[in-house]
Short mmCIF file of all heavy atoms in Angstrom, two decimals:
data_model
loop_
_atom_site.label_atom_id
_atom_site.label_comp_id
_atom_site.label_asym_id
_atom_site.label_seq_id
_atom_site.Cartn_x
_atom_site.Cartn_y
_atom_site.Cartn_z
N TYR A 123 23.59 -8.12 7.78
CA TYR A 123 22.46 -8.71 8.32
C TYR A 123 22.25 -10.20 8.10
O TYR A 123 22.75 -10.69 6.97
CB TYR A 123 21.14 -8.06 7.67
CG TYR A 123 21.01 -6.61 8.09
CD1 TYR A 123 21.59 -5.60 7.31
CD2 TYR A 123 20.37 -6.20 9.25
CE1 TYR A 123 21.56 -4.28 7.61
CE2 TYR A 123 20.18 -4.91 9.58
CZ TYR A 123 20.86 -3.99 8.86
OH TYR A 123 20.73 -2.64 9.15
N ASN A 124 21.79 -10.93 9.04
CA ASN A 124 21.49 -12.40 8.87
C ASN A 124 20.29 -12.60 7.95
O ASN A 124 19.26 -11.96 8.24
CB ASN A 124 21.22 -13.09 10.17
CG ASN A 124 22.52 -12.82 11.12
OD1 ASN A 124 23.59 -13.18 10.75
ND2 ASN A 124 22.24 -12.53 12.36
N CYS A 125 20.55 -13.35 6.88
CA CYS A 125 19.49 -13.67 5.86
C CYS A 125 19.23 -15.14 5.77
O CYS A 125 20.10 -15.91 5.98
CB CYS A 125 19.97 -13.13 4.59
SG CYS A 125 20.22 -11.24 4.59
N LYS A 126 18.00 -15.48 5.36
CA LYS A 126 17.59 -16.86 5.11
C LYS A 126 17.16 -16.93 3.68
O LYS A 126 16.71 -15.97 3.10
CB LYS A 126 16.58 -17.34 6.01
CG LYS A 126 15.18 -16.60 6.02
CD LYS A 126 14.20 -17.22 6.85
CE LYS A 126 14.54 -17.11 8.38
NZ LYS A 126 13.49 -17.63 9.17
N LYS A 127 17.36 -18.14 2.99
CA LYS A 127 16.91 -18.32 1.58
C LYS A 127 15.43 -18.59 1.48
O LYS A 127 14.91 -19.37 2.40
CB LYS A 127 17.81 -19.36 0.97
CG LYS A 127 17.50 -19.65 -0.44
CD LYS A 127 18.31 -20.80 -0.97
CE LYS A 127 17.97 -21.22 -2.41
NZ LYS A 127 18.84 -22.30 -2.82
N ALA A 128 14.81 -18.10 0.52
CA ALA A 128 13.45 -18.54 0.09
C ALA A 128 13.46 -18.68 -1.40
O ALA A 128 14.18 -18.04 -2.08
CB ALA A 128 12.45 -17.47 0.59
N VAL A 129 12.47 -19.38 -1.84
CA VAL A 129 12.33 -19.66 -3.35
C VAL A 129 10.88 -19.09 -3.58
O VAL A 129 9.88 -19.47 -3.04
CB VAL A 129 12.43 -21.13 -3.74
CG1 VAL A 129 12.03 -21.21 -5.16
CG2 VAL A 129 13.89 -21.59 -3.62
N GLY A 130 10.85 -18.15 -4.56
CA GLY A 130 9.56 -17.58 -4.95
C GLY A 130 9.06 -18.25 -6.16
O GLY A 130 9.88 -18.50 -7.02
N LYS A 131 7.73 -18.50 -6.16
CA LYS A 131 7.20 -19.15 -7.31
C LYS A 131 6.09 -18.25 -7.91
O LYS A 131 5.23 -17.81 -7.17
CB LYS A 131 6.52 -20.48 -6.94
CG LYS A 131 5.86 -21.35 -8.11
CD LYS A 131 5.36 -22.61 -7.68
CE LYS A 131 4.87 -23.47 -8.90
NZ LYS A 131 4.32 -24.73 -8.51
N MET A 132 6.29 -17.98 -9.25
CA MET A 132 5.37 -16.92 -9.85
C MET A 132 4.20 -17.75 -10.52
O MET A 132 4.20 -19.01 -10.67
CB MET A 132 6.14 -16.28 -10.98
CG MET A 132 7.29 -15.36 -10.33
SD MET A 132 8.13 -14.32 -11.58
CE MET A 132 9.05 -15.59 -12.48
N PRO A 133 3.13 -17.01 -10.79
CA PRO A 133 1.91 -17.64 -11.42
C PRO A 133 2.22 -18.53 -12.49
O PRO A 133 1.45 -19.55 -12.83
CB PRO A 133 1.01 -16.42 -11.71
CG PRO A 133 1.42 -15.38 -10.80
CD PRO A 133 2.98 -15.58 -10.64
N ASP A 134 3.34 -18.12 -13.45
CA ASP A 134 3.50 -18.91 -14.58
C ASP A 134 4.33 -20.18 -14.32
O ASP A 134 4.70 -20.90 -15.30
CB ASP A 134 4.16 -18.09 -15.61
CG ASP A 134 5.51 -17.52 -15.32
OD1 ASP A 134 5.95 -17.77 -14.14
OD2 ASP A 134 6.15 -16.74 -16.00
N GLY A 135 4.76 -20.39 -13.03
CA GLY A 135 5.48 -21.59 -12.71
C GLY A 135 6.99 -21.27 -12.48
O GLY A 135 7.69 -22.11 -11.96
N GLN A 136 7.48 -20.24 -13.07
CA GLN A 136 8.89 -19.82 -12.89
C GLN A 136 9.21 -19.66 -11.37
O GLN A 136 8.43 -19.06 -10.60
CB GLN A 136 9.27 -18.67 -13.72
CG GLN A 136 9.30 -18.87 -15.18
CD GLN A 136 9.84 -17.78 -15.96
OE1 GLN A 136 11.10 -17.81 -16.28
NE2 GLN A 136 9.20 -16.70 -16.21
N THR A 137 10.49 -20.02 -11.00
CA THR A 137 10.92 -19.73 -9.68
C THR A 137 12.15 -18.87 -9.65
O THR A 137 12.96 -18.85 -10.63
CB THR A 137 11.10 -21.09 -8.96
OG1 THR A 137 12.22 -21.77 -9.64
CG2 THR A 137 9.92 -22.02 -8.91
N PHE A 138 12.38 -18.21 -8.55
CA PHE A 138 13.62 -17.44 -8.36
C PHE A 138 14.00 -17.45 -6.87
O PHE A 138 13.17 -17.60 -6.02
CB PHE A 138 13.32 -16.01 -8.84
CG PHE A 138 12.38 -15.30 -8.08
CD1 PHE A 138 12.63 -14.36 -7.01
CD2 PHE A 138 10.99 -15.30 -8.57
CE1 PHE A 138 11.65 -13.69 -6.29
CE2 PHE A 138 10.00 -14.62 -7.80
CZ PHE A 138 10.28 -13.84 -6.70
N GLU A 139 15.27 -17.20 -6.68
CA GLU A 139 15.79 -17.25 -5.36
C GLU A 139 15.85 -15.91 -4.68
O GLU A 139 16.08 -14.88 -5.41
CB GLU A 139 17.18 -17.92 -5.29
CG GLU A 139 17.21 -19.46 -5.62
CD GLU A 139 18.59 -20.06 -5.66
OE1 GLU A 139 19.51 -19.27 -5.35
OE2 GLU A 139 18.67 -21.22 -5.75
N VAL A 140 15.72 -15.82 -3.42
CA VAL A 140 15.82 -14.54 -2.76
C VAL A 140 16.36 -14.86 -1.34
O VAL A 140 16.12 -15.81 -0.67
CB VAL A 140 14.41 -13.86 -2.60
CG1 VAL A 140 13.40 -14.75 -1.90
CG2 VAL A 140 14.64 -12.51 -1.79
N TYR A 141 17.28 -14.00 -0.80
CA TYR A 141 17.62 -14.06 0.58
C TYR A 141 17.06 -12.83 1.24
O TYR A 141 17.31 -11.65 0.83
CB TYR A 141 19.20 -14.03 0.67
CG TYR A 141 19.86 -15.40 0.42
CD1 TYR A 141 20.07 -15.87 -0.84
CD2 TYR A 141 20.13 -16.32 1.52
CE1 TYR A 141 20.66 -17.11 -1.07
CE2 TYR A 141 20.73 -17.61 1.29
CZ TYR A 141 20.96 -18.01 -0.01
OH TYR A 141 21.52 -19.28 -0.28
N TYR A 142 16.60 -13.00 2.42
CA TYR A 142 15.89 -11.86 3.09
C TYR A 142 16.28 -11.93 4.55
O TYR A 142 16.60 -12.89 5.12
CB TYR A 142 14.37 -11.88 2.93
CG TYR A 142 13.63 -13.02 3.60
CD1 TYR A 142 12.96 -12.78 4.87
CD2 TYR A 142 13.53 -14.36 3.05
CE1 TYR A 142 12.40 -13.81 5.48
CE2 TYR A 142 12.84 -15.24 3.71
CZ TYR A 142 12.32 -15.06 4.98
OH TYR A 142 11.54 -16.16 5.58
N THR A 143 16.24 -10.82 5.20
CA THR A 143 16.42 -10.69 6.54
C THR A 143 15.17 -10.33 7.30
O THR A 143 14.32 -9.51 6.84
CB THR A 143 17.56 -9.59 6.95
OG1 THR A 143 17.73 -9.61 8.36
CG2 THR A 143 17.11 -8.22 6.49
N THR A 144 14.96 -10.98 8.48
CA THR A 144 13.79 -10.59 9.34
C THR A 144 14.20 -9.58 10.37
O THR A 144 13.29 -9.18 11.18
CB THR A 144 13.25 -11.92 10.09
OG1 THR A 144 14.33 -12.42 10.87
CG2 THR A 144 12.73 -12.87 9.04
N GLU A 145 15.39 -9.11 10.48
CA GLU A 145 15.87 -8.05 11.22
C GLU A 145 15.32 -6.69 10.84
O GLU A 145 15.26 -5.81 11.72
CB GLU A 145 17.45 -8.06 11.37
CG GLU A 145 18.04 -9.29 11.93
CD GLU A 145 19.57 -9.34 11.75
OE1 GLU A 145 20.12 -8.22 11.65
OE2 GLU A 145 20.08 -10.45 11.81
N LEU A 146 14.92 -6.60 9.55
CA LEU A 146 14.38 -5.37 9.10
C LEU A 146 13.00 -5.75 8.37
O LEU A 146 12.94 -6.59 7.56
CB LEU A 146 15.29 -4.72 7.98
CG LEU A 146 16.72 -4.40 8.42
CD1 LEU A 146 17.57 -3.85 7.20
CD2 LEU A 146 16.70 -3.28 9.44
N MET A 147 11.99 -5.07 8.84
CA MET A 147 10.63 -5.34 8.25
C MET A 147 10.20 -3.99 7.57
O MET A 147 9.94 -2.97 8.31
CB MET A 147 9.74 -5.69 9.34
CG MET A 147 8.38 -6.11 8.90
SD MET A 147 8.36 -7.51 7.71
CE MET A 147 8.99 -8.88 8.89
N PRO A 148 10.02 -3.96 6.34
CA PRO A 148 9.56 -2.67 5.67
C PRO A 148 8.11 -2.40 6.08
O PRO A 148 7.24 -3.19 6.15
CB PRO A 148 9.55 -3.14 4.18
CG PRO A 148 9.47 -4.60 4.17
CD PRO A 148 10.19 -5.08 5.38
N GLU A 149 7.97 -1.11 6.46
CA GLU A 149 6.60 -0.61 6.91
C GLU A 149 5.66 -0.70 5.64
O GLU A 149 4.49 -0.98 5.85
CB GLU A 149 6.76 0.79 7.40
CG GLU A 149 5.48 1.39 7.88
CD GLU A 149 5.64 2.84 8.45
OE1 GLU A 149 5.65 3.81 7.56
OE2 GLU A 149 5.77 3.00 9.55
N ASN A 150 6.18 -0.38 4.53
CA ASN A 150 5.42 -0.37 3.24
C ASN A 150 5.66 -1.59 2.60
O ASN A 150 6.73 -1.88 1.95
CB ASN A 150 5.75 0.82 2.36
CG ASN A 150 5.07 0.84 1.10
OD1 ASN A 150 4.06 0.06 0.92
ND2 ASN A 150 5.49 1.71 0.21
N LYS A 151 4.77 -2.68 2.63
CA LYS A 151 5.00 -3.89 2.00
C LYS A 151 5.06 -3.83 0.45
O LYS A 151 5.52 -4.81 -0.17
CB LYS A 151 3.93 -4.96 2.46
CG LYS A 151 4.00 -5.25 3.89
CD LYS A 151 5.15 -6.16 4.26
CE LYS A 151 5.04 -7.52 3.68
NZ LYS A 151 6.18 -8.39 4.09
N GLN A 152 4.66 -2.77 -0.11
CA GLN A 152 4.53 -2.52 -1.54
C GLN A 152 5.76 -1.65 -1.97
O GLN A 152 5.80 -1.15 -3.12
CB GLN A 152 3.33 -1.86 -1.95
CG GLN A 152 1.99 -2.66 -1.67
CD GLN A 152 0.78 -2.02 -2.08
OE1 GLN A 152 0.71 -1.19 -2.89
NE2 GLN A 152 -0.32 -2.45 -1.31
N HIS A 153 6.78 -1.57 -1.17
CA HIS A 153 7.95 -0.77 -1.56
C HIS A 153 8.56 -1.39 -2.84
O HIS A 153 9.16 -0.78 -3.69
CB HIS A 153 9.04 -0.71 -0.44
CG HIS A 153 9.78 -1.93 -0.23
ND1 HIS A 153 9.33 -3.02 0.36
CD2 HIS A 153 11.02 -2.26 -0.57
CE1 HIS A 153 10.20 -3.96 0.46
NE2 HIS A 153 11.28 -3.56 -0.19
N ASN A 154 8.49 -2.76 -2.95
CA ASN A 154 8.90 -3.41 -4.03
C ASN A 154 7.81 -4.59 -4.27
O ASN A 154 7.87 -5.58 -3.53
CB ASN A 154 10.32 -4.08 -3.98
CG ASN A 154 10.77 -4.71 -5.23
OD1 ASN A 154 9.98 -5.27 -5.96
ND2 ASN A 154 12.04 -4.71 -5.58
N ARG A 155 6.83 -4.40 -5.11
CA ARG A 155 5.74 -5.21 -5.15
C ARG A 155 5.98 -6.69 -5.44
O ARG A 155 5.21 -7.53 -5.11
CB ARG A 155 4.66 -4.61 -6.21
CG ARG A 155 4.09 -3.33 -5.62
CD ARG A 155 3.33 -2.70 -6.80
NE ARG A 155 4.29 -2.29 -7.90
CZ ARG A 155 3.87 -1.90 -9.14
NH1 ARG A 155 2.56 -1.90 -9.41
NH2 ARG A 155 4.76 -1.60 -10.02
N ARG A 156 7.19 -6.91 -6.02
CA ARG A 156 7.55 -8.34 -6.31
C ARG A 156 7.65 -9.17 -4.91
O ARG A 156 7.45 -10.38 -4.93
CB ARG A 156 8.94 -8.35 -6.90
CG ARG A 156 9.51 -9.80 -7.16
CD ARG A 156 10.94 -9.57 -7.62
NE ARG A 156 11.01 -9.00 -8.92
CZ ARG A 156 11.19 -9.63 -10.03
NH1 ARG A 156 11.25 -10.95 -10.08
NH2 ARG A 156 11.30 -9.01 -11.22
N PHE A 157 7.84 -8.40 -3.85
CA PHE A 157 8.12 -9.07 -2.58
C PHE A 157 7.03 -8.73 -1.61
O PHE A 157 7.29 -8.77 -0.31
CB PHE A 157 9.56 -8.64 -2.02
CG PHE A 157 10.60 -9.04 -2.84
CD1 PHE A 157 11.37 -8.01 -3.57
CD2 PHE A 157 10.88 -10.36 -3.17
CE1 PHE A 157 12.36 -8.37 -4.46
CE2 PHE A 157 12.05 -10.56 -3.93
CZ PHE A 157 12.74 -9.69 -4.62
N VAL A 158 5.81 -8.49 -2.04
CA VAL A 158 4.70 -8.13 -1.14
C VAL A 158 4.42 -9.23 -0.09
O VAL A 158 3.93 -8.96 0.96
CB VAL A 158 3.54 -7.64 -1.99
CG1 VAL A 158 2.86 -8.90 -2.70
CG2 VAL A 158 2.49 -6.99 -1.05
N ASN A 159 4.77 -10.53 -0.54
CA ASN A 159 4.42 -11.61 0.40
C ASN A 159 5.63 -12.15 1.17
O ASN A 159 5.53 -13.08 1.95
CB ASN A 159 3.85 -12.92 -0.33
CG ASN A 159 2.49 -12.49 -1.00
OD1 ASN A 159 1.67 -11.74 -0.29
ND2 ASN A 159 2.11 -13.11 -2.05
N LEU A 160 6.76 -11.34 1.05
CA LEU A 160 7.97 -11.85 1.72
C LEU A 160 7.91 -11.41 3.18
O LEU A 160 7.40 -10.35 3.55
CB LEU A 160 9.19 -11.24 0.99
CG LEU A 160 10.44 -11.83 1.34
CD1 LEU A 160 10.65 -13.28 0.93
CD2 LEU A 160 11.66 -11.07 0.69
N LYS A 161 8.41 -12.31 4.06
CA LYS A 161 8.33 -12.03 5.50
C LYS A 161 9.58 -11.22 6.08
O LYS A 161 10.06 -11.48 7.15
CB LYS A 161 8.21 -13.32 6.23
CG LYS A 161 7.07 -14.11 5.97
CD LYS A 161 6.93 -15.46 6.63
CE LYS A 161 8.10 -16.45 6.05
NZ LYS A 161 7.84 -17.68 6.79
N GLY A 162 10.05 -10.28 5.23
CA GLY A 162 11.18 -9.55 5.74
C GLY A 162 11.78 -8.67 4.59
O GLY A 162 11.15 -8.43 3.47
N MET A 163 13.03 -8.13 4.65
CA MET A 163 13.61 -7.28 3.65
C MET A 163 14.45 -8.08 2.77
O MET A 163 15.41 -8.74 3.25
CB MET A 163 14.43 -6.22 4.33
CG MET A 163 14.88 -5.08 3.47
SD MET A 163 13.58 -3.84 3.10
CE MET A 163 13.54 -2.99 4.57
N PRO A 164 14.22 -8.02 1.39
CA PRO A 164 15.06 -8.78 0.42
C PRO A 164 16.44 -8.10 0.32
O PRO A 164 16.58 -6.95 -0.06
CB PRO A 164 14.29 -8.76 -0.85
CG PRO A 164 13.46 -7.47 -0.76
CD PRO A 164 13.13 -7.40 0.71
N LEU A 165 17.43 -8.86 0.48
CA LEU A 165 18.87 -8.25 0.35
C LEU A 165 19.73 -8.98 -0.72
O LEU A 165 20.78 -8.56 -1.05
CB LEU A 165 19.69 -8.36 1.70
CG LEU A 165 19.11 -7.49 2.83
CD1 LEU A 165 19.98 -7.51 4.16
CD2 LEU A 165 18.94 -6.04 2.43
N GLN A 166 19.00 -10.00 -1.34
CA GLN A 166 19.60 -10.74 -2.50
C GLN A 166 18.57 -11.39 -3.23
O GLN A 166 17.78 -12.05 -2.63
CB GLN A 166 20.75 -11.65 -2.19
CG GLN A 166 21.35 -12.38 -3.37
CD GLN A 166 22.46 -13.40 -2.95
OE1 GLN A 166 23.19 -13.14 -2.06
NE2 GLN A 166 22.41 -14.52 -3.59
N PHE A 167 18.53 -11.22 -4.54
CA PHE A 167 17.46 -11.83 -5.31
C PHE A 167 17.82 -11.91 -6.77
O PHE A 167 18.79 -11.40 -7.21
CB PHE A 167 16.08 -11.08 -5.18
CG PHE A 167 16.15 -9.68 -5.52
CD1 PHE A 167 15.84 -9.17 -6.74
CD2 PHE A 167 16.43 -8.72 -4.57
CE1 PHE A 167 15.85 -7.78 -7.07
CE2 PHE A 167 16.46 -7.32 -4.84
CZ PHE A 167 16.22 -6.89 -6.07
N GLU A 168 17.03 -12.70 -7.54
CA GLU A 168 17.30 -12.91 -8.99
C GLU A 168 16.19 -12.15 -9.78
O GLU A 168 15.06 -12.01 -9.33
CB GLU A 168 17.08 -14.46 -9.34
CG GLU A 168 18.18 -15.32 -8.81
CD GLU A 168 18.11 -16.71 -9.15
OE1 GLU A 168 16.94 -17.28 -9.04
OE2 GLU A 168 18.93 -17.32 -9.67
N ILE A 169 16.62 -11.60 -10.85
CA ILE A 169 15.75 -11.01 -11.87
C ILE A 169 15.79 -11.88 -13.09
O ILE A 169 16.92 -12.00 -13.67
CB ILE A 169 16.12 -9.55 -12.09
CG1 ILE A 169 16.02 -8.71 -10.93
CG2 ILE A 169 15.25 -9.02 -13.28
CD1 ILE A 169 16.40 -7.24 -11.06
N ILE A 170 14.66 -12.32 -13.52
CA ILE A 170 14.60 -13.08 -14.76
C ILE A 170 14.32 -12.36 -15.99
O ILE A 170 13.42 -11.55 -16.04
CB ILE A 170 13.53 -14.27 -14.65
CG1 ILE A 170 13.83 -15.05 -13.39
CG2 ILE A 170 13.52 -15.20 -15.90
CD1 ILE A 170 12.63 -16.12 -13.13
N ASN A 171 15.30 -12.33 -16.90
CA ASN A 171 15.15 -11.51 -18.17
C ASN A 171 14.28 -12.20 -19.17
O ASN A 171 13.93 -13.40 -19.02
CB ASN A 171 16.48 -11.29 -18.82
CG ASN A 171 17.51 -10.39 -17.91
OD1 ASN A 171 17.09 -9.50 -17.23
ND2 ASN A 171 18.64 -10.90 -17.75
N LYS A 172 13.72 -11.48 -20.14
CA LYS A 172 12.93 -11.94 -21.12
C LYS A 172 13.45 -13.17 -21.91
O LYS A 172 12.71 -14.03 -22.40
CB LYS A 172 12.47 -10.89 -22.07
CG LYS A 172 11.55 -9.81 -21.56
CD LYS A 172 11.18 -8.82 -22.48
CE LYS A 172 10.26 -7.69 -21.93
NZ LYS A 172 9.84 -6.70 -23.00
N ASN A 173 14.78 -13.18 -22.05
CA ASN A 173 15.46 -14.27 -22.77
C ASN A 173 15.77 -15.53 -21.84
O ASN A 173 16.40 -16.45 -22.31
CB ASN A 173 16.72 -13.85 -23.44
CG ASN A 173 17.74 -13.39 -22.44
OD1 ASN A 173 17.48 -13.44 -21.26
ND2 ASN A 173 18.90 -12.85 -22.92
#
Side-chain angles (χ1 to χ4, degrees):
Y123 293 92
N124 296 315
C125 298
K126 61 175 66 176
K127 180 181 176 181
V129 175
K131 185 175 182 180
M132 297 186 290
D134 63 4
Q136 289 192 94
T137 60
F138 63 93
E139 294 181 356
V140 56
Y141 280 84
Y142 70 97
T143 180
T144 56
E145 295 171 24
L146 301 175
M147 184 64 65
E149 183 181 82
N150 177 13
K151 295 290 288 183
Q152 297 178 28
H153 77 280
N154 186 326
R155 291 166 297 164
R156 177 190 293 262
F157 302 110
V158 70
N159 289 330
L160 194 64
K161 297 177 292 185
M163 189 79 77
L165 295 183
Q166 178 179 322
F167 54 91
E168 292 180 310
I169 296 177
I170 306 174
N171 299 316
K172 290 182 179 179
N173 62 4

